[in-house]
């Protein structure tokens, strides 16, 4: 049996697979250096401990394995930090546009600060109303991001609380969280089915995970849709089974990529040419749908293509299938 401790450059233990304090009397230890620090192995295998050559090979392999896992999680943390920093900057910018920090610093007490804020609210009610709505959307975005983090790292360990929902209302709720971006790019959302269809055929879903799925779906769609275009939703129900189709002109997805885009870390060939995209969003979509008993696939129509500013947009259909309530 082999136990390990991974130490950084300063000797701090950053990873280990057991409490090694009970091993000292039963196991012997050896250390090996690696680019990020030192690896300490504890073992009762005499052959391993006797041969420096064997130990060196085993130690190097273990260090490489652990380092690759560590780098994987560091990359995921970096992705989440990027999103959190972006949302934080947006919130800070809006708040300080109403009440600049130097203004509050000039007030010596909480009461004086409250009076300054109240005066601002009274003098700029329309602007404050607009900013409150903006802040509400960003808070919603933070919630969706936190749930995405849970889906990414906890998977089936997540607590799922499924209830009956109107899918159109869920979609609209998430879509309007992107109003700033959609208005800038001239994007609209259209429903090609009657309200009654969604209301009569409610779907049993976990609210937090399905919202995370829709948030990540729209986050990707809005970035890669053809400017000044629309996303259309179609819904069909047959004997308790529903099919929800999201149709849009967006960046070309090659045939070999139709399943790969749902893999963690994969960036499409068209997307990889730009600086946008982390390869996490569509993975979250797929995982969240799986947790809710839904399937998703992409059906592109390569015969319908448009080239704009050096980018090719084709008609892509994202097809989501599942069972409606009562079945």
């Amino acid at each position: 049996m082999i136990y390990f401790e991974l130490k950084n450059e300063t000797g701090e233990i950053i990873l280990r697979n057991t409490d090694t304090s009970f091993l000292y009397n039963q196991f012997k230890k050896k250390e090996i250096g690696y680019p990020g620090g030192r690896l300490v192995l504890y073992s009762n295998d005499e052959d391993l401990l006797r041969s420096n050559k064997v130990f060196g090979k085993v130690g190097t392999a273990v260090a490489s394995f652990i380092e690759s896992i560590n780098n994987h999680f560091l990359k995921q943390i970096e992705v989440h930090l990027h999103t959190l920093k972006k949302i934080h900057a947006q919130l800070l910018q809006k708040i300080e546009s109403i009440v600049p920090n130097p203004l509050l610093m000039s007030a010596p007490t909480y009461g004086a600060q409250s009076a300054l804020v109240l005066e601002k609210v009274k003098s700029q009610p329309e602007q404050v109303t607009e900013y409150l709505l903006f802040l509400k959307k960003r808070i919603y975005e933070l919630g969706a991001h936190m749930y995405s983090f849970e889906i990414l790292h906890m998977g089936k360990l997540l607590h799922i609380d499924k209830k009956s929902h109107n899918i159109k209302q869920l979609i609209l709720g998430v879509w309007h969280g992107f109003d700033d971006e959609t208005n800038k790019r001239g994007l609209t959302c259209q429903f090609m089915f009657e309200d009654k269809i969604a209301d009569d055929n409610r779907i049993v879903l976990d609210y937090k995970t399905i919202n995370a799925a829709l948030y990540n779906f729209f986050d990707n769609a809005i970035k890669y849709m053809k400017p000044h275009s629309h996303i259309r939703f179609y819904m069909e129900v047959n004997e308790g089974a529903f099919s929800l189709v999201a149709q849009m002109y967006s960046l070309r997805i090659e045939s070999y990529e139709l399943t790969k885009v749902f893999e963690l870390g994969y960036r499409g060939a068209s997307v990889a040419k730009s600086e946008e995209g982390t390869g996490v969003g569509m993975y979250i979509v797929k995982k969240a749908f799986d947790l809710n008993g839904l399937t998703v696939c992409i059906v592109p129509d390569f015969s319908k293509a448009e080239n704009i500013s050096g980018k090719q947009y084709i008609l892509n259909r994202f097809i989501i299938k599942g069972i409606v309530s009562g079945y």
Side-chain angles (χ1 to χ4, degrees), residues 129-198:
T129 300
E130 175 192 341
Y131 288 176
L132 283 175
L133 290 173
F134 175 88
L135 295 177
K136 183 176 184 291
K137 292 173 183 177
R138 297 291 79 78
I139 291 170
Y140 170 84
E141 186 179 355
L142 277 173
H145 182 69
M146 288 187 292
Y147 294 139
S148 297
F149 189 87
E150 286 187 313
I151 292 169
L152 181 61
H153 296 295
M154 293 183 66
K156 293 184 178 180
L157 295 177
L158 272 175
H159 172 68
I160 300 297
D161 182 21
K162 291 186 177 181
K163 295 180 181 178
S164 180
H165 293 281
N166 180 312
I167 190 63
K168 180 178 179 180
Q169 291 176 357
L170 289 179
I171 291 171
L172 279 174
V174 178
W175 172 262
H176 286 306
F178 292 92
D179 282 346
D180 294 340
E181 291 87 347
T182 56
N183 289 337
K184 287 177 185 176
R185 301 199 64 202
L187 305 176
T188 59
C189 178
Q190 301 175 0
F191 290 88
M192 313 307 291
F193 56 90
E194 300 294 331
D195 291 349
K196 192 174 187 303
I197 293 178

Side-chain angles (χ1 to χ4, degrees), residues 63-314:
S64 176
F65 173 71
I66 296 171
E67 189 174 17
S68 66
I69 294 175
N70 192 43
N71 288 338
H72 168 76
F73 283 105
L74 285 176
K75 182 179 179 181
Q76 300 310 315
I77 291 170
E78 184 180 1
V79 169
H80 289 292
L81 281 176
H82 173 75
T83 302
L84 290 174
K85 288 177 180 178
K86 180 189 74 173
I87 299 172
H88 173 262
Q90 292 173 330
L91 291 170
L92 189 62
Q93 182 182 26
K94 285 293 182 182
I95 287 292
E96 293 207 335
S97 63
I98 304 173
V99 187
N101 194 45
L103 179 66
L104 287 182
M105 290 179 65
S106 66
T109 65
Y110 177 80
Q113 291 182 350
S114 297
L116 286 174
V117 173
L118 182 60
E119 186 60 35
K120 279 285 184 178
V121 172
K122 288 180 178 179
S123 63
Q124 303 176 27
E126 292 183 358
Q127 187 180 22
V128 171
T129 300
E130 175 192 341
Y131 288 176
L132 283 175
L133 290 173
F134 175 88
L135 295 177
K136 183 176 184 291
K137 292 173 183 177
R138 297 291 79 78
I139 291 170
Y140 170 84
E141 186 179 355
L142 277 173
H145 182 69
M146 288 187 292
Y147 294 139
S148 297
F149 189 87
E150 286 187 313
I151 292 169
L152 181 61
H153 296 295
M154 293 183 66
K156 293 184 178 180
L157 295 177
L158 272 175
H159 172 68
I160 300 297
D161 182 21
K162 291 186 177 181
K163 295 180 181 178
S164 180
H165 293 281
N166 180 312
I167 190 63
K168 180 178 179 180
Q169 291 176 357
L170 289 179
I171 291 171
L172 279 174
V174 178
W175 172 262
H176 286 306
F178 292 92
D179 282 346
D180 294 340
E181 291 87 347
T182 56
N183 289 337
K184 287 177 185 176
R185 301 199 64 202
L187 305 176
T188 59
C189 178
Q190 301 175 0
F191 290 88
M192 313 307 291
F193 56 90
E194 300 294 331
D195 291 349
K196 192 174 187 303
I197 293 178
D199 199 42
D200 289 348
N201 296 280
R202 299 169 73 86
I203 306 171
V204 177
L205 302 166
D206 174 63
Y207 181 80
K208 66 179 183 180
T209 54
I210 208 65
N211 266 271
L214 292 172
Y215 169 81
N216 282 280
F217 175 75
F218 281 132
D219 187 48
N220 276 266
I222 290 166
K223 284 188 290 189
Y224 307 130
M225 282 175 64
K226 183 182 78 171
H228 305 287
S229 66
H230 45 252
I231 180 170
R232 286 177 171 167
F233 285 92
Y234 299 81
M235 186 175 184
E236 293 183 0
V237 181
N238 183 23
E239 296 182 353
F242 77 87
S243 176
L244 180 70
V245 179
Q247 177 178 291
M248 73 196 84
Y249 273 91
S250 55
L251 289 180
R252 182 185 180 96
I253 304 173
E254 301 295 344
S255 297
Y256 70 87
E257 299 181 295
L258 297 179
T259 57
K260 291 180 72 68
V261 294
F262 296 112
E263 295 177 2
L264 182 61
Y266 184 79
R267 299 177 66 206
S270 298
V271 175
K273 296 175 183 178
S274 70
E275 295 182 359
E276 298 182 82
T278 60
V280 175
M282 294 307 293
Y283 174 81
I284 297 293
V285 171
K286 178 67 165 57
K287 291 291 288 185
F289 282 157
D290 287 345
L291 289 168
N292 283 277
L294 307 178
T295 63
V296 59
C297 67
I298 306 170
V299 179
D301 187 343
F302 296 111
S303 68
K304 296 181 179 179
E306 296 183 27
N307 292 293
I308 302 174
S309 302
K311 297 179 180 180
Q312 187 175 61
Y313 297 90
I314 64 171

Side-chain angles (χ1 to χ4, degrees), residues 32-64:
I32 185 172
Y34 78 104
R38 297 193 67 78
L39 174 71
V40 184
L41 294 182
Y42 296 85
S43 178
N44 57 358
D45 186 328
E46 293 295 334
D47 292 334
L48 174 64
L49 297 168
R50 188 181 301 112
S51 171
N52 289 331
K53 184 177 180 180
V54 173
F55 176 80
K57 289 182 178 180
V58 172
T60 301
V62 173
S64 176

